[in-house]
Amino acid sequence: MNNAQQKEINQQCLYLALMELLKQKSIEKVTIGELCDNAGVSRMTFYRSYNYKEDILMQHLEECFNRFLSILQENDYHTHYDISLCFFHFWQTEERDFLLMLITAGLSAQLMERFYHYLDLVYQKVKWVQSVPSYISSFLAGGLYKLLIDWMKDETKATPEELAEFLSTGGNALHILASQ
């Protein structure tokens, strides 16, 4: 096994250990030593990859968004509805627990910041979607973030299909406004 593979395994162990610890206590009460013991790695190994415990969660968040972008690239979506449906299915089926853990850990601001960044990347990846002014993108990212968070907290009573329908009709109206 080469160094890169070992580093990836160590990072995965740290992520899983942190997720388990966060089920028991807040991120502030988790110590680096405790985290490393539970992950089966040394403190030195932790500090080779991260400066803070929160960095582990942010790295996983980046991986989530990159996986979502890969799904968009692999599929030929032609409507706002399809993209929205893919988005809500992704978070509901693959990363619901992680998303709720970020909120519980007090990392909502970082999550929202990533939404701003990745919404712009979605515009770039989906060729038929026109880019919008930054203020519209900020509005969409903030609204999408809040909708996703509230939906997750509400134990996803609405279906991904219902949310995608809501977004696709609203999204079309916002694009019309942006182009005027």
Side-chain angles (χ1 to χ4, degrees):
M1 178 178 321
N2 66 34
N3 288 343
Q5 291 169 321
Q6 186 61 52
K7 182 176 180 176
E8 189 174 323
I9 289 169
N10 290 337
Q11 289 175 341
Q12 185 65 16
C13 289
L14 285 162
Y15 168 74
L16 294 172
L18 182 57
M19 290 298 286
E20 282 303 311
L21 288 167
L22 290 175
K23 290 177 184 175
Q24 303 162 20
K25 57 176 94 175
S26 70
I27 196 161
E28 295 84 22
K29 294 191 177 174
V30 173
T31 67
I32 300 295
E34 176 183 34
L35 174 60
C36 291
D37 288 345
N38 285 6
V41 301
S42 69
R43 290 172 64 91
M44 184 182 300
T45 297
F46 172 86
Y47 286 111
R48 278 191 199 124
S49 296
Y50 307 108
N51 292 319
Y52 306 100
K53 299 170 283 193
E54 293 82 359
D55 293 345
I56 297 169
L57 299 174
M58 290 299 99
Q59 179 183 28
H60 187 77
L61 180 61
E62 292 292 323
E63 292 166 3
C64 290
F65 279 118
N66 287 329
R67 279 197 334 268
F68 175 70
L69 288 174
S70 293
I71 291 168
L72 287 182
Q73 280 187 302
E74 292 167 6
N75 296 280
D76 193 21
Y77 295 123
H78 293 288
T79 67
H80 288 103
Y81 176 84
D82 291 336
I83 293 171
S84 298
L85 184 60
C86 176
F87 176 81
F88 287 110
H89 273 294
F90 174 82
W91 288 106
Q92 181 186 43
T93 60
E94 293 191 33
E95 295 294 343
R96 183 176 189 274
D97 291 340
F98 171 69
L99 195 60
L100 291 172
M101 195 67 67
L102 281 178
I103 297 161
T104 303
L107 298 173
S108 297
Q110 291 90 330
L111 176 60
M112 188 166 175
E113 185 62 36
R114 299 320 299 154
F115 266 73
Y116 290 124
H117 172 72
Y118 277 94
L119 188 59
D120 286 337
L121 291 178
V122 168
Y123 288 133
Q124 294 170 19
K125 300 285 183 201
V126 181
K127 301 298 184 208
W128 57 266
V129 174
Q130 295 177 351
S131 185
V132 296
S134 63
Y135 58 89
I136 296 290
S137 183
S138 294
F139 173 79
L140 291 172
L144 184 60
Y145 161 80
K146 185 68 173 146
L147 178 62
L148 180 64
I149 297 308
D150 287 353
W151 181 57
M152 289 287 144
K153 286 180 178 178
D154 195 33
E155 299 184 9
T156 61
K157 290 180 183 172
T159 67
E161 291 78 11
E162 291 168 329
L163 293 173
E165 182 63 32
F166 169 77
L167 277 183
S168 65
T169 56
N172 288 337
L174 288 172
H175 281 285
I176 291 168
L177 286 173
S179 65
Q180 293 180 349

